[in-house]
Amino acid sequence: MIAVNNLRSGEIFKENGQPYTVVKYSHVKMGRGNAVIKIKAKSLLNGAVLEKSFLSGASVEEADVEKIKVQYLYKAGSLYFFMDCRSYEQVDLSEDFLGDNTHFLKEGENYEIIKFDESPVSLQLPITIILKVAETGSGFKGDTVSASFKPAVLETGLKTDVPLFIDTDDFIKVDTRDGSYVGRA
């Protein structure tokens, strides 16, 4: 069992037989009453969002998940192939399973696959990843009064907005949660 006070972002727990990962956590203390823990969690099986409140001191069931460190190898058709870093076995995941995460897959990079009941349920990405700018327009001189951005296409096909000083073939850091520009690499 996991105490609800320990449920932070990224923590995995089980509710009604399904694994959930905590997306948002807040601790609310009102007047003389007990503190209330409010969480927003996402199902690892179907992506459904659960919002729940607990009294401080309650607990939830710990999910029996296995985290496997994998290295991204290559894409063939609509399948993405990974190698288990411990057993060197190949694991293939479909494009439908990965969804928008395909924009953050870079050959040779390490990721984590989360398994529940012996089948993969999620691919864990790092918070930021370094990608090369494949294509971007030129900046406009004089647009420096406020933060100005221009569209760019990265090496994985991800489209994002970058500052005017970023050029083609530059390396940038991208936030994998929303695909936004973080900084130069």
Side-chain angles (χ1 to χ4, degrees):
M1 299 299 274
I2 303 173
V4 292
N5 296 1
N6 296 332
L7 289 179
R8 299 290 189 256
S9 285
E11 191 74 35
I12 299 172
F13 68 97
K14 196 157 118 182
E15 180 77 22
N16 298 329
Q18 282 193 30
Y20 286 88
T21 182
V22 177
V23 177
K24 188 176 179 185
Y25 168 92
S26 63
H27 183 265
V28 181
K29 174 76 173 141
M30 293 200 248
R32 289 191 250 167
N34 286 341
V36 176
I37 309 297
K38 293 184 179 186
I39 63 161
K40 186 176 188 179
K42 183 178 176 183
S43 171
L44 291 176
L45 297 179
N46 58 19
V49 176
L50 169 77
E51 292 188 26
K52 200 155 183 162
S53 299
F54 300 97
L55 287 176
S56 183
S59 58
V60 292
E61 191 176 347
E62 189 172 355
D64 187 24
V65 294
E66 181 183 5
K67 292 184 178 183
I68 299 171
K69 189 174 181 179
V70 294
Q71 182 180 38
Y72 174 57
L73 299 176
Y74 62 94
K75 176 188 177 190
S78 65
L79 292 178
Y80 291 79
F81 290 88
F82 298 85
M83 177 185 65
D84 187 330
C85 293
R86 287 179 288 159
S87 67
Y88 303 109
E89 292 178 6
Q90 281 195 9
V91 178
D92 59 281
L93 300 175
S94 71
E95 195 167 2
D96 295 334
F97 176 83
L98 293 170
D100 290 337
N101 288 347
T102 58
H103 294 297
F104 304 107
L105 296 178
K106 194 173 168 184
E107 288 183 16
E109 291 290 319
N110 290 331
Y111 302 94
E112 273 188 345
I113 291 178
I114 298 174
K115 285 186 170 186
F116 180 72
D117 288 339
E118 299 299 320
S119 61
V121 292
S122 177
L123 177 72
Q124 204 77 20
L125 298 171
I127 294 174
T128 59
I129 191 165
I130 297 172
L131 296 172
K132 186 177 181 180
V133 177
E135 179 185 324
T136 187
S138 59
F140 304 105
K141 198 168 190 167
D143 285 349
T144 57
V145 174
S146 63
S148 298
F149 291 91
K150 61 184 178 181
V153 179
L154 306 181
E155 64 182 304
T156 59
L158 177 68
K159 295 177 182 174
T160 190
D161 291 329
V162 296
L164 296 177
F165 59 84
I166 299 293
D167 292 321
T168 302
D169 295 332
D170 284 353
F171 288 91
I172 62 170
K173 260 188 196 177
V174 178
D175 189 329
T176 58
R177 295 171 291 192
D178 58 6
S180 64
Y181 169 84
V182 174
R184 270 190 167 159

